[in-house]
Amino acid sequence: MAFSADELRVLRRALAIALHPAPLQDEDVQDCLRLADSVDEAVREAGRLRAFLLADLARYREALPGSLGGYLELLRDALAAGYDPGADDLAALRALRHNPAAAELLARCQVLAERSVRTRLARVSQATASAAPSPSRARLFALPGGRAAAEEPKPKPPAPAERPVPKPSEVFPPRRRPVPPPPPEERVAG
């Protein structure tokens, strides 16, 4: 992000006021608000550009291997902008590793992906460590559900009423044998 000379002047004044509080003139307040709007717009624009770049990268990845040159260039740009390569990118680069540029980019992406995974795992382990109770805390046994409740034997659920096991002839009734048709001599024409 680049600031113009006027924006840098406003930013410098705002920082000086933050360090040494003093009453502000209306002009200074308006300048700070305009600078804040400009920074917000730049952040929104960066988000839109990032979304466009990632969508373009996905289109080029789907068109591989025909779009190899464009895909590698877009991936380099995305990595320079702070993009963490995903599993799709790694799979595409593995399929294209016969190309020297793709092989070099695959090595770089693997390092970045591993670093990203390690960072996420460290955050998760820190979050779970801070959420777990400290071992030095004593347990409260006077509350319902404490040690006293755990030591009481729990009553066993009542056994279901026993009923007799049915005989196979009750479950599977006997088949009726088909009655053979009468012999042709005994048939009566009607």
Side-chain angles (χ1 to χ4, degrees):
M1 182 182 300
F3 291 106
S4 70
D6 288 337
E7 290 172 333
L8 282 175
R9 180 183 50 80
V10 171
L11 184 60
R12 187 169 182 220
R13 272 196 331 234
L15 290 173
I17 291 169
L19 291 173
H20 306 288
L24 294 175
Q25 297 177 3
D26 289 340
E27 181 183 323
D28 290 339
V29 171
Q30 292 302 321
D31 288 344
C32 288
L33 290 175
R34 278 195 295 275
L35 179 62
D37 289 340
S38 296
V39 170
D40 288 344
E41 179 59 32
V43 168
R44 284 192 297 273
E45 184 62 29
R48 286 192 293 269
L49 182 62
R50 180 178 171 85
F52 175 77
L53 179 64
L54 294 181
D56 213 18
L57 184 64
R59 282 192 295 276
Y60 273 79
R61 185 174 48 240
E62 290 170 5
L64 285 173
S67 63
L68 177 66
Y71 174 71
L72 295 178
E73 183 180 335
L74 281 173
L75 185 58
R76 279 190 198 99
D77 291 345
L79 293 174
Y83 172 68
D84 284 332
D88 293 339
D89 296 310
L90 294 173
L93 288 172
R94 282 188 193 108
L96 301 168
R97 74 177 100 190
H98 64 278
N99 181 305
E104 178 265 325
L105 205 50
L106 173 62
R108 181 177 171 198
C109 286
Q110 286 175 330
V111 169
L112 292 173
E114 183 177 333
R115 186 179 307 152
S116 174
V117 168
R118 289 180 189 271
T119 303
R120 282 184 289 191
L121 287 175
R123 279 190 216 134
V124 168
S125 65
Q126 286 176 351
T128 55
S130 64
S134 63
S136 63
R137 265 181 85 172
R139 297 177 98 183
L140 298 175
F141 297 115
L143 295 176
R147 181 187 285 175
E151 292 175 357
E152 293 176 10
K154 295 183 180 179
K156 292 183 180 178
E162 292 193 28
R163 41 181 216 182
V165 177
K167 297 178 188 174
S169 62
E170 295 172 343
V171 176
F172 304 106
R175 288 191 206 167
R176 298 185 187 259
R177 298 183 192 255
V179 179
E185 303 94 36
E186 294 179 9
R187 287 188 201 162
V188 178

